[in-house]
Amino acid sequence: MVEILHSYHFVYNVLIVVISALITLFAIPSILHVARARHLYDDVGHFRKQHDHGIPRLGGVAIFISFIITTLLFSLIDKALPLSYLLIACIILFTMGLKDDLSGVNSSTKFLIQFVVAAILVLLGNIRITSMYGIFNIFDLPYIPSAALSILLIMLIVNAFNLIDGIDGLAATTGIIANSTFALLFMYIKQYELAAICLAMVGATAGFLRYNLTPAKIFMGDTGALLIGLVSAVMAVKYIEISKLTDVKTPHLFTAPALTVAILIGPVFDTLRVFIIRLINRKSPFEADRNHMHHRMLQLGFGHLKTTMCLSALNLSAIAMVFFFRDMSNSVLIALILLIPLVFNWLITFFIRSKQRENLAFRNLFV
């Protein structure tokens, strides 16, 4: 199998994506049938929901099944990634996500389980960041700061993907962009096992997206969003760490932290933004609201598909910028990357306020 992987890795990688996508495509109709028979629909009465009729939210089950089967079929067991710990973490998070999709889980329980999952990966699997690449003039990290940073980073990314799953196609498209980019980067530095895991997630999510684009027939729910976030987080940590150790000397490897930020900028920026706003307003950072960037774009009259396309283009622009300015330091690049969503968010705010002033002026004409 190792010889096949190194000799025909392009065909091998295409096969991973195709089989993973097919498993999801074949699984979802059965899930839809069960959901309709058992009336397992999304809560359309919730104030954050964007649909006026019940839609099953068990698409994450298909993503999970496809990802696990494809990963076990095609991934090689080597020292690049402790696959057993990744699969254990996926199963734990899947179980919690499924319960949340069916009957709900309170935020403190979610937080605790996410911490346990991240701790398993970092402390037992040793999946952690050991260098800051000179950001804030910090290079090698001692074990405790390294472990703490890695656990927090994994939890942040997992929650970030869960929080952007508010409109049709957005979380799935973002997951495809992130894992496709990581897969290409891993293939370039000959980390084929890690690339295979990324591609298994790409295929599973692409198959789901067929049923999730507007008008959506099914949602991924917490089951899918948490799983995509977990795999993306692990790949982010592994890319940052392996880039420090690889023998391939290219500029983008030195800028691995900045490139990772660019790949995940959409969900991470939006999550940090809403958390900060909630804390400023003396609210719980985990209290649901309609202040996410995708909600704000819907306020401006954008549909689900256009909003997803705009935010995906923003994500791709950040990635392209890192490659274009790859000679700059990580600190400068990260600052430039953050400017992209900051400016975009400012434009959204400007147009929302302009629209509100126009509506107020229109109403005053009839007072």
Side-chain angles (χ1 to χ4, degrees):
M1 183 64 75
V2 176
E3 292 179 0
I4 294 174
L5 182 58
H6 284 275
S7 301
Y8 305 101
H9 59 267
F10 176 76
V11 175
Y12 188 90
N13 289 330
V14 170
L15 196 60
I16 292 172
V17 176
V18 170
I19 290 179
S20 183
L22 286 175
I23 292 172
T24 307
L25 287 169
F26 284 126
I28 286 181
S30 297
I31 292 171
L32 285 171
H33 175 75
V34 171
R36 288 165 182 160
R38 301 294 180 181
H39 302 286
L40 303 175
Y41 296 122
D42 195 27
D43 182 12
V44 296
H46 194 278
F47 75 96
R48 295 177 72 240
K49 302 304 176 183
Q50 300 296 320
H51 301 79
D52 57 3
H53 59 283
I55 297 176
R57 56 181 312 199
L58 296 175
V61 175
I63 295 174
F64 173 80
I65 292 170
S66 175
F67 173 73
I68 295 296
I69 291 174
T70 311
T71 298
L72 291 174
L73 278 175
F74 289 96
S75 293
L76 298 178
I77 305 300
D78 63 22
K79 295 180 181 179
L81 182 73
L83 192 59
S84 59
Y85 291 117
L86 175 61
L87 295 180
I88 289 169
C90 289
I91 292 168
I92 293 172
L93 216 53
F94 168 79
T95 304
M96 183 194 73
L98 184 60
K99 183 180 184 300
D100 191 30
D101 290 334
L102 293 175
S103 60
V105 176
N106 63 59
S107 59
S108 59
T109 302
K110 285 184 183 180
F111 186 83
L112 176 61
I113 293 177
Q114 288 170 10
F115 176 80
V116 170
V117 164
I120 288 171
L121 292 169
V122 174
L123 303 180
L124 300 182
N126 201 35
I127 299 171
R128 60 189 179 89
I129 296 171
T130 61
S131 173
M132 291 287 288
Y133 285 73
I135 299 172
F136 305 121
N137 203 31
I138 301 171
F139 289 89
D140 291 339
L141 291 169
Y143 181 81
I144 293 177
S146 167
L149 174 64
S150 301
I151 289 173
L152 290 173
L153 183 63
I154 290 171
M155 293 178 67
L156 171 63
I157 296 171
V158 167
N159 276 289
F161 272 88
N162 194 29
L163 290 174
I164 64 166
D165 184 31
I167 61 172
D168 299 343
L170 181 56
T173 304
T174 304
I176 290 171
I177 290 173
N179 285 282
S180 296
T181 306
F182 282 130
L184 291 172
L185 293 170
F186 285 132
M187 283 187 277
Y188 183 77
I189 59 177
K190 296 180 172 54
Q191 293 289 334
Y192 297 116
E193 181 196 9
L194 294 171
I197 293 171
C198 292
L199 292 173
M201 179 54 70
V202 169
T205 311
F208 164 79
L209 191 59
R210 158 71 177 78
Y211 293 91
N212 187 238
L213 287 176
T214 302
K217 295 180 177 65
I218 193 169
F219 299 147
M220 67 172 63
D222 281 18
T223 308
L226 293 172
L227 180 64
I228 295 173
L230 180 67
V231 173
S232 300
V234 170
M235 294 303 109
V237 173
K238 292 301 295 183
Y239 178 66
I240 292 173
E241 185 61 18
I242 287 175
S243 296
K244 185 189 73 168
L245 303 173
T246 186
D247 292 330
V248 181
K249 302 301 180 185
T250 57
H252 78 75
L253 294 180
F254 175 73
T255 58
L259 185 52
T260 302
V261 171
I263 292 169
L264 300 171
I265 188 62
V268 170
F269 174 83
D270 189 49
T271 298
L272 292 176
R273 176 187 155 273
V274 295
F275 275 18
I276 291 170
I277 290 173
R278 290 168 187 172
L279 289 172
I280 290 173
N281 293 329
R282 297 182 179 180
K283 295 180 180 178
S284 167
F286 303 102
E287 182 179 336
D289 58 32
R290 290 176 51 83
N291 197 31
H292 291 279
M293 288 179 70
H294 53 268
H295 289 135
R296 287 156 57 78
M297 291 183 71
L298 293 179
Q299 280 184 257
L300 292 174
F302 284 79
H304 287 221
L305 183 58
K306 286 185 178 179
T307 299
T308 295
M309 291 175 65
C310 286
L311 293 175
S312 298
L314 201 72
N315 197 170
L316 292 170
S317 298
I319 295 170
M321 189 185 71
V322 175
F323 283 102
F324 189 77
F325 296 107
R326 59 185 176 272
D327 294 328
M328 294 183 176
S329 69
N330 279 290
S331 299
V332 173
L333 280 172
I334 290 172
L336 290 174
I337 292 164
L338 289 173
L339 274 178
I340 295 177
L342 279 170
V343 171
F344 186 75
N345 182 65
W346 179 85
L347 288 172
I348 293 174
T349 301
F350 173 79
F351 286 117
I352 286 176
R353 289 177 179 174
S354 297
K355 186 176 180 180
Q356 289 172 343
R357 285 195 294 268
E358 289 175 3
N359 291 337
L360 181 61
F362 181 78
R363 286 197 298 268
N364 288 338
L365 290 174
F366 300 93
V367 175

